[in-house]
PDB file of all heavy atoms in Angstrom:
ATOM      1  N   VAL A   1       0.809  -1.221   0.006  1.00 93.00           N
ATOM      2  CA  VAL A   1       0.023   0.033  -0.014  1.00 93.00           C
ATOM      3  C   VAL A   1       0.861   1.264   0.013  1.00 93.00           C
ATOM      4  O   VAL A   1       0.566   2.216  -0.792  1.00 93.00           O
ATOM      5  CB  VAL A   1      -0.969  -0.032   1.212  1.00 93.00           C
ATOM      6  CG1 VAL A   1      -1.633   1.359   1.385  1.00 93.00           C
ATOM      7  CG2 VAL A   1      -2.044  -1.084   1.014  1.00 93.00           C
ATOM      8  N   PRO A   2       1.887   1.392   0.809  1.00 93.00           N
ATOM      9  CA  PRO A   2       2.671   2.656   0.837  1.00 93.00           C
ATOM     10  C   PRO A   2       3.320   3.003  -0.485  1.00 93.00           C
ATOM     11  O   PRO A   2       3.287   4.183  -0.886  1.00 93.00           O
ATOM     12  CB  PRO A   2       3.734   2.406   1.921  1.00 93.00           C
ATOM     13  CG  PRO A   2       3.142   1.349   2.784  1.00 93.00           C
ATOM     14  CD  PRO A   2       2.367   0.487   1.876  1.00 93.00           C
ATOM     15  N   ILE A   3       3.852   2.034  -1.170  1.00 91.00           N
ATOM     16  CA  ILE A   3       4.556   2.348  -2.457  1.00 91.00           C
ATOM     17  C   ILE A   3       3.568   2.518  -3.609  1.00 91.00           C
ATOM     18  O   ILE A   3       3.737   3.345  -4.491  1.00 91.00           O
ATOM     19  CB  ILE A   3       5.637   1.288  -2.773  1.00 91.00           C
ATOM     20  CG1 ILE A   3       6.505   1.798  -3.921  1.00 91.00           C
ATOM     21  CG2 ILE A   3       4.947  -0.072  -3.146  1.00 91.00           C
ATOM     22  CD1 ILE A   3       7.672   0.935  -4.187  1.00 91.00           C
ATOM     23  N   ARG A   4       2.462   1.770  -3.584  1.00 90.00           N
ATOM     24  CA  ARG A   4       1.496   1.910  -4.701  1.00 90.00           C
ATOM     25  C   ARG A   4       0.744   3.203  -4.633  1.00 90.00           C
ATOM     26  O   ARG A   4       0.199   3.690  -5.604  1.00 90.00           O
ATOM     27  CB  ARG A   4       0.461   0.724  -4.604  1.00 90.00           C
ATOM     28  CG  ARG A   4       1.076  -0.637  -4.919  1.00 90.00           C
ATOM     29  CD  ARG A   4      -0.018  -1.622  -5.351  1.00 90.00           C
ATOM     30  NE  ARG A   4      -0.710  -1.224  -6.521  1.00 90.00           N
ATOM     31  CZ  ARG A   4      -1.739  -1.854  -7.041  1.00 90.00           C
ATOM     32  NH1 ARG A   4      -2.232  -2.881  -6.442  1.00 90.00           N
ATOM     33  NH2 ARG A   4      -2.336  -1.434  -8.151  1.00 90.00           N
ATOM     34  N   ALA A   5       0.740   3.827  -3.432  1.00 90.00           N
ATOM     35  CA  ALA A   5       0.089   5.155  -3.299  1.00 90.00           C
ATOM     36  C   ALA A   5       0.868   6.227  -4.111  1.00 90.00           C
ATOM     37  O   ALA A   5       0.319   7.256  -4.427  1.00 90.00           O
ATOM     38  CB  ALA A   5       0.035   5.567  -1.839  1.00 90.00           C
ATOM     39  N   HIS A   6       2.118   5.932  -4.421  1.00 88.00           N
ATOM     40  CA  HIS A   6       2.981   6.866  -5.175  1.00 88.00           C
ATOM     41  C   HIS A   6       3.319   6.372  -6.578  1.00 88.00           C
ATOM     42  O   HIS A   6       4.224   6.897  -7.230  1.00 88.00           O
ATOM     43  CB  HIS A   6       4.269   7.151  -4.344  1.00 88.00           C
ATOM     44  CG  HIS A   6       4.045   7.748  -3.065  1.00 88.00           C
ATOM     45  ND1 HIS A   6       3.812   9.118  -2.862  1.00 88.00           N
ATOM     46  CD2 HIS A   6       3.922   7.183  -1.813  1.00 88.00           C
ATOM     47  CE1 HIS A   6       3.590   9.344  -1.570  1.00 88.00           C
ATOM     48  NE2 HIS A   6       3.681   8.226  -0.892  1.00 88.00           N
ATOM     49  N   MET A   7       2.547   5.352  -7.032  1.00 86.00           N
ATOM     50  CA  MET A   7       2.720   4.860  -8.383  1.00 86.00           C
ATOM     51  C   MET A   7       1.490   5.216  -9.193  1.00 86.00           C
ATOM     52  O   MET A   7       0.460   5.618  -8.615  1.00 86.00           O
ATOM     53  CB  MET A   7       2.916   3.285  -8.340  1.00 86.00           C
ATOM     54  CG  MET A   7       4.161   2.866  -7.635  1.00 86.00           C
ATOM     55  SD  MET A   7       4.244   1.090  -7.420  1.00 86.00           S
ATOM     56  CE  MET A   7       4.210   0.530  -9.123  1.00 86.00           C
ATOM     57  N   PRO A   8       1.571   5.211 -10.543  1.00 81.00           N
ATOM     58  CA  PRO A   8       0.383   5.453 -11.384  1.00 81.00           C
ATOM     59  C   PRO A   8      -0.766   4.508 -10.948  1.00 81.00           C
ATOM     60  O   PRO A   8      -0.547   3.373 -10.445  1.00 81.00           O
ATOM     61  CB  PRO A   8       0.882   5.166 -12.782  1.00 81.00           C
ATOM     62  CG  PRO A   8       2.359   5.416 -12.726  1.00 81.00           C
ATOM     63  CD  PRO A   8       2.788   4.945 -11.338  1.00 81.00           C
ATOM     64  N   PRO A   9      -1.964   4.920 -11.183  1.00 81.00           N
ATOM     65  CA  PRO A   9      -3.153   4.174 -10.709  1.00 81.00           C
ATOM     66  C   PRO A   9      -3.191   2.693 -11.176  1.00 81.00           C
ATOM     67  O   PRO A   9      -3.554   1.814 -10.414  1.00 81.00           O
ATOM     68  CB  PRO A   9      -4.348   4.927 -11.286  1.00 81.00           C
ATOM     69  CG  PRO A   9      -3.866   6.371 -11.481  1.00 81.00           C
ATOM     70  CD  PRO A   9      -2.406   6.186 -11.834  1.00 81.00           C
ATOM     71  N   ASP A  10      -2.770   2.430 -12.403  1.00 82.00           N
ATOM     72  CA  ASP A  10      -2.830   1.092 -12.940  1.00 82.00           C
ATOM     73  C   ASP A  10      -1.501   0.327 -12.786  1.00 82.00           C
ATOM     74  O   ASP A  10      -1.427  -0.790 -13.299  1.00 82.00           O
ATOM     75  CB  ASP A  10      -3.246   1.105 -14.417  1.00 82.00           C
ATOM     76  CG  ASP A  10      -4.670   1.652 -14.533  1.00 82.00           C
ATOM     77  OD1 ASP A  10      -5.508   1.467 -13.591  1.00 82.00           O
ATOM     78  OD2 ASP A  10      -4.971   2.284 -15.572  1.00 82.00           O
ATOM     79  N   ALA A  11      -0.498   0.951 -12.209  1.00 83.00           N
ATOM     80  CA  ALA A  11       0.776   0.345 -12.096  1.00 83.00           C
ATOM     81  C   ALA A  11       0.848  -0.730 -10.956  1.00 83.00           C
ATOM     82  O   ALA A  11       0.099  -0.597  -9.999  1.00 83.00           O
ATOM     83  CB  ALA A  11       1.876   1.372 -11.855  1.00 83.00           C
ATOM     84  N   LYS A  12       1.615  -1.751 -11.152  1.00 87.00           N
ATOM     85  CA  LYS A  12       1.776  -2.785 -10.160  1.00 87.00           C
ATOM     86  C   LYS A  12       3.277  -3.111  -9.998  1.00 87.00           C
ATOM     87  O   LYS A  12       4.098  -2.816 -10.879  1.00 87.00           O
ATOM     88  CB  LYS A  12       1.050  -4.076 -10.640  1.00 87.00           C
ATOM     89  CG  LYS A  12      -0.475  -3.905 -10.765  1.00 87.00           C
ATOM     90  CD  LYS A  12      -1.093  -5.230 -11.217  1.00 87.00           C
ATOM     91  CE  LYS A  12      -2.613  -5.061 -11.369  1.00 87.00           C
ATOM     92  NZ  LYS A  12      -3.216  -6.374 -11.799  1.00 87.00           N
ATOM     93  N   LEU A  13       3.552  -3.701  -8.819  1.00 91.00           N
ATOM     94  CA  LEU A  13       4.887  -4.175  -8.640  1.00 91.00           C
ATOM     95  C   LEU A  13       5.175  -5.363  -9.568  1.00 91.00           C
ATOM     96  O   LEU A  13       4.249  -6.137  -9.910  1.00 91.00           O
ATOM     97  CB  LEU A  13       5.084  -4.639  -7.204  1.00 91.00           C
ATOM     98  CG  LEU A  13       4.941  -3.541  -6.086  1.00 91.00           C
ATOM     99  CD1 LEU A  13       4.985  -4.172  -4.736  1.00 91.00           C
ATOM    100  CD2 LEU A  13       5.971  -2.480  -6.232  1.00 91.00           C
ATOM    101  N   ILE A  14       6.405  -5.524  -9.969  1.00 91.00           N
ATOM    102  CA  ILE A  14       6.752  -6.600 -10.933  1.00 91.00           C
ATOM    103  C   ILE A  14       7.550  -7.672 -10.241  1.00 91.00           C
ATOM    104  O   ILE A  14       8.120  -7.417  -9.148  1.00 91.00           O
ATOM    105  CB  ILE A  14       7.520  -6.047 -12.131  1.00 91.00           C
ATOM    106  CG1 ILE A  14       8.873  -5.402 -11.688  1.00 91.00           C
ATOM    107  CG2 ILE A  14       6.664  -5.011 -12.914  1.00 91.00           C
ATOM    108  CD1 ILE A  14       9.733  -5.003 -12.842  1.00 91.00           C
ATOM    109  N   ALA A  15       7.594  -8.870 -10.787  1.00 90.00           N
ATOM    110  CA  ALA A  15       8.381  -9.946 -10.285  1.00 90.00           C
ATOM    111  C   ALA A  15       9.369 -10.360 -11.396  1.00 90.00           C
ATOM    112  O   ALA A  15       8.965 -10.951 -12.392  1.00 90.00           O
ATOM    113  CB  ALA A  15       7.458 -11.128  -9.921  1.00 90.00           C
ATOM    114  N   ILE A  16      10.637 -10.053 -11.148  1.00 90.00           N
ATOM    115  CA  ILE A  16      11.654 -10.341 -12.161  1.00 90.00           C
ATOM    116  C   ILE A  16      12.076 -11.800 -12.120  1.00 90.00           C
ATOM    117  O   ILE A  16      12.275 -12.432 -13.106  1.00 90.00           O
ATOM    118  CB  ILE A  16      12.866  -9.427 -11.962  1.00 90.00           C
ATOM    119  CG1 ILE A  16      12.473  -7.955 -12.202  1.00 90.00           C
ATOM    120  CG2 ILE A  16      13.996  -9.767 -12.906  1.00 90.00           C
ATOM    121  CD1 ILE A  16      13.570  -6.930 -11.951  1.00 90.00           C
ATOM    122  N   GLY A  17      12.265 -12.298 -10.920  1.00 87.00           N
ATOM    123  CA  GLY A  17      12.700 -13.670 -10.738  1.00 87.00           C
ATOM    124  C   GLY A  17      11.617 -14.675 -11.172  1.00 87.00           C
ATOM    125  O   GLY A  17      10.401 -14.397 -11.010  1.00 87.00           O
ATOM    126  N   VAL A  18      12.066 -15.831 -11.627  1.00 89.00           N
ATOM    127  CA  VAL A  18      11.163 -16.852 -12.064  1.00 89.00           C
ATOM    128  C   VAL A  18      10.304 -17.366 -10.915  1.00 89.00           C
ATOM    129  O   VAL A  18       9.079 -17.609 -11.067  1.00 89.00           O
ATOM    130  CB  VAL A  18      11.918 -18.061 -12.746  1.00 89.00           C
ATOM    131  CG1 VAL A  18      10.960 -19.153 -13.134  1.00 89.00           C
ATOM    132  CG2 VAL A  18      12.722 -17.550 -13.913  1.00 89.00           C
ATOM    133  N   PHE A  19      10.888 -17.533  -9.777  1.00 91.00           N
ATOM    134  CA  PHE A  19      10.211 -18.115  -8.632  1.00 91.00           C
ATOM    135  C   PHE A  19       9.746 -17.043  -7.644  1.00 91.00           C
ATOM    136  O   PHE A  19       9.219 -17.393  -6.582  1.00 91.00           O
ATOM    137  CB  PHE A  19      11.108 -19.104  -7.893  1.00 91.00           C
ATOM    138  CG  PHE A  19      11.557 -20.275  -8.756  1.00 91.00           C
ATOM    139  CD1 PHE A  19      12.810 -20.303  -9.236  1.00 91.00           C
ATOM    140  CD2 PHE A  19      10.629 -21.250  -9.091  1.00 91.00           C
ATOM    141  CE1 PHE A  19      13.226 -21.360 -10.071  1.00 91.00           C
ATOM    142  CE2 PHE A  19      11.054 -22.356  -9.866  1.00 91.00           C
ATOM    143  CZ  PHE A  19      12.345 -22.369 -10.371  1.00 91.00           C
ATOM    144  N   SER A  20       9.934 -15.774  -7.962  1.00 91.00           N
ATOM    145  CA  SER A  20       9.536 -14.663  -7.049  1.00 91.00           C
ATOM    146  C   SER A  20       8.070 -14.710  -6.672  1.00 91.00           C
ATOM    147  O   SER A  20       7.674 -14.495  -5.530  1.00 91.00           O
ATOM    148  CB  SER A  20       9.943 -13.327  -7.601  1.00 91.00           C
ATOM    149  OG  SER A  20      11.323 -13.212  -7.709  1.00 91.00           O
ATOM    150  N   PRO A  21       7.128 -14.933  -7.666  1.00 91.00           N
ATOM    151  CA  PRO A  21       5.729 -14.915  -7.321  1.00 91.00           C
ATOM    152  C   PRO A  21       5.349 -16.017  -6.294  1.00 91.00           C
ATOM    153  O   PRO A  21       4.312 -15.919  -5.657  1.00 91.00           O
ATOM    154  CB  PRO A  21       5.042 -15.219  -8.668  1.00 91.00           C
ATOM    155  CG  PRO A  21       5.994 -14.738  -9.690  1.00 91.00           C
ATOM    156  CD  PRO A  21       7.353 -15.059  -9.105  1.00 91.00           C
ATOM    157  N   PHE A  22       6.210 -17.034  -6.162  1.00 91.00           N
ATOM    158  CA  PHE A  22       5.898 -18.091  -5.188  1.00 91.00           C
ATOM    159  C   PHE A  22       6.609 -17.854  -3.839  1.00 91.00           C
ATOM    160  O   PHE A  22       6.019 -17.971  -2.816  1.00 91.00           O
ATOM    161  CB  PHE A  22       6.322 -19.466  -5.755  1.00 91.00           C
ATOM    162  CG  PHE A  22       6.157 -20.607  -4.781  1.00 91.00           C
ATOM    163  CD1 PHE A  22       4.904 -21.091  -4.541  1.00 91.00           C
ATOM    164  CD2 PHE A  22       7.244 -21.176  -4.208  1.00 91.00           C
ATOM    165  CE1 PHE A  22       4.710 -22.163  -3.637  1.00 91.00           C
ATOM    166  CE2 PHE A  22       7.090 -22.234  -3.322  1.00 91.00           C
ATOM    167  CZ  PHE A  22       5.831 -22.717  -3.034  1.00 91.00           C
ATOM    168  N   PHE A  23       7.919 -17.550  -3.928  1.00 93.00           N
ATOM    169  CA  PHE A  23       8.731 -17.435  -2.726  1.00 93.00           C
ATOM    170  C   PHE A  23       8.551 -16.201  -1.924  1.00 93.00           C
ATOM    171  O   PHE A  23       8.579 -16.167  -0.712  1.00 93.00           O
ATOM    172  CB  PHE A  23      10.224 -17.710  -3.060  1.00 93.00           C
ATOM    173  CG  PHE A  23      10.559 -19.077  -3.324  1.00 93.00           C
ATOM    174  CD1 PHE A  23      10.963 -19.483  -4.584  1.00 93.00           C
ATOM    175  CD2 PHE A  23      10.525 -20.120  -2.339  1.00 93.00           C
ATOM    176  CE1 PHE A  23      11.298 -20.794  -4.883  1.00 93.00           C
ATOM    177  CE2 PHE A  23      10.857 -21.414  -2.593  1.00 93.00           C
ATOM    178  CZ  PHE A  23      11.233 -21.728  -3.903  1.00 93.00           C
ATOM    179  N   VAL A  24       8.314 -15.088  -2.642  1.00 94.00           N
ATOM    180  CA  VAL A  24       8.182 -13.801  -1.931  1.00 94.00           C
ATOM    181  C   VAL A  24       6.932 -13.802  -1.039  1.00 94.00           C
ATOM    182  O   VAL A  24       7.070 -13.382   0.125  1.00 94.00           O
ATOM    183  CB  VAL A  24       8.188 -12.645  -2.946  1.00 94.00           C
ATOM    184  CG1 VAL A  24       7.787 -11.307  -2.240  1.00 94.00           C
ATOM    185  CG2 VAL A  24       9.508 -12.537  -3.634  1.00 94.00           C
ATOM    186  N   PRO A  25       5.765 -14.208  -1.497  1.00 94.00           N
ATOM    187  CA  PRO A  25       4.635 -14.296  -0.558  1.00 94.00           C
ATOM    188  C   PRO A  25       4.846 -15.211   0.612  1.00 94.00           C
ATOM    189  O   PRO A  25       4.415 -14.934   1.762  1.00 94.00           O
ATOM    190  CB  PRO A  25       3.485 -14.769  -1.435  1.00 94.00           C
ATOM    191  CG  PRO A  25       3.840 -14.379  -2.798  1.00 94.00           C
ATOM    192  CD  PRO A  25       5.343 -14.539  -2.856  1.00 94.00           C
ATOM    193  N   LEU A  26       5.546 -16.319   0.405  1.00 94.00           N
ATOM    194  CA  LEU A  26       5.885 -17.181   1.519  1.00 94.00           C
ATOM    195  C   LEU A  26       6.826 -16.480   2.529  1.00 94.00           C
ATOM    196  O   LEU A  26       6.721 -16.686   3.752  1.00 94.00           O
ATOM    197  CB  LEU A  26       6.540 -18.492   1.017  1.00 94.00           C
ATOM    198  CG  LEU A  26       5.585 -19.438   0.252  1.00 94.00           C
ATOM    199  CD1 LEU A  26       6.361 -20.690  -0.136  1.00 94.00           C
ATOM    200  CD2 LEU A  26       4.397 -19.822   1.042  1.00 94.00           C
ATOM    201  N   LYS A  27       7.773 -15.740   1.969  1.00 93.00           N
ATOM    202  CA  LYS A  27       8.694 -14.979   2.867  1.00 93.00           C
ATOM    203  C   LYS A  27       7.961 -13.986   3.725  1.00 93.00           C
ATOM    204  O   LYS A  27       8.203 -13.795   4.914  1.00 93.00           O
ATOM    205  CB  LYS A  27       9.760 -14.302   2.024  1.00 93.00           C
ATOM    206  CG  LYS A  27      10.866 -13.587   2.823  1.00 93.00           C
ATOM    207  CD  LYS A  27      11.906 -13.014   1.866  1.00 93.00           C
ATOM    208  CE  LYS A  27      12.987 -12.308   2.630  1.00 93.00           C
ATOM    209  NZ  LYS A  27      14.025 -11.778   1.706  1.00 93.00           N
ATOM    210  N   VAL A  28       7.018 -13.306   3.074  1.00 94.00           N
ATOM    211  CA  VAL A  28       6.200 -12.278   3.777  1.00 94.00           C
ATOM    212  C   VAL A  28       5.343 -12.981   4.810  1.00 94.00           C
ATOM    213  O   VAL A  28       5.193 -12.518   5.960  1.00 94.00           O
ATOM    214  CB  VAL A  28       5.351 -11.482   2.832  1.00 94.00           C
ATOM    215  CG1 VAL A  28       4.367 -10.577   3.588  1.00 94.00           C
ATOM    216  CG2 VAL A  28       6.245 -10.676   1.932  1.00 94.00           C
ATOM    217  N   LEU A  29       4.818 -14.162   4.507  1.00 96.00           N
ATOM    218  CA  LEU A  29       3.991 -14.917   5.440  1.00 96.00           C
ATOM    219  C   LEU A  29       4.823 -15.327   6.651  1.00 96.00           C
ATOM    220  O   LEU A  29       4.364 -15.220   7.798  1.00 96.00           O
ATOM    221  CB  LEU A  29       3.393 -16.138   4.742  1.00 96.00           C
ATOM    222  CG  LEU A  29       2.553 -17.083   5.630  1.00 96.00           C
ATOM    223  CD1 LEU A  29       1.281 -16.363   6.175  1.00 96.00           C
ATOM    224  CD2 LEU A  29       2.192 -18.350   4.850  1.00 96.00           C
ATOM    225  N   ALA A  30       6.028 -15.811   6.400  1.00 95.00           N
ATOM    226  CA  ALA A  30       6.911 -16.213   7.542  1.00 95.00           C
ATOM    227  C   ALA A  30       7.259 -15.021   8.360  1.00 95.00           C
ATOM    228  O   ALA A  30       7.269 -15.101   9.647  1.00 95.00           O
ATOM    229  CB  ALA A  30       8.156 -16.893   6.957  1.00 95.00           C
TER     230      ALA A  30
END
């Protein structure tokens, strides 16, 4: 929320790594 408030309305964070969409949410969960 803090960073998206300063991004364009339709902009989203990107995932460069192949496994980032899987491991990053798990890291945040932990």
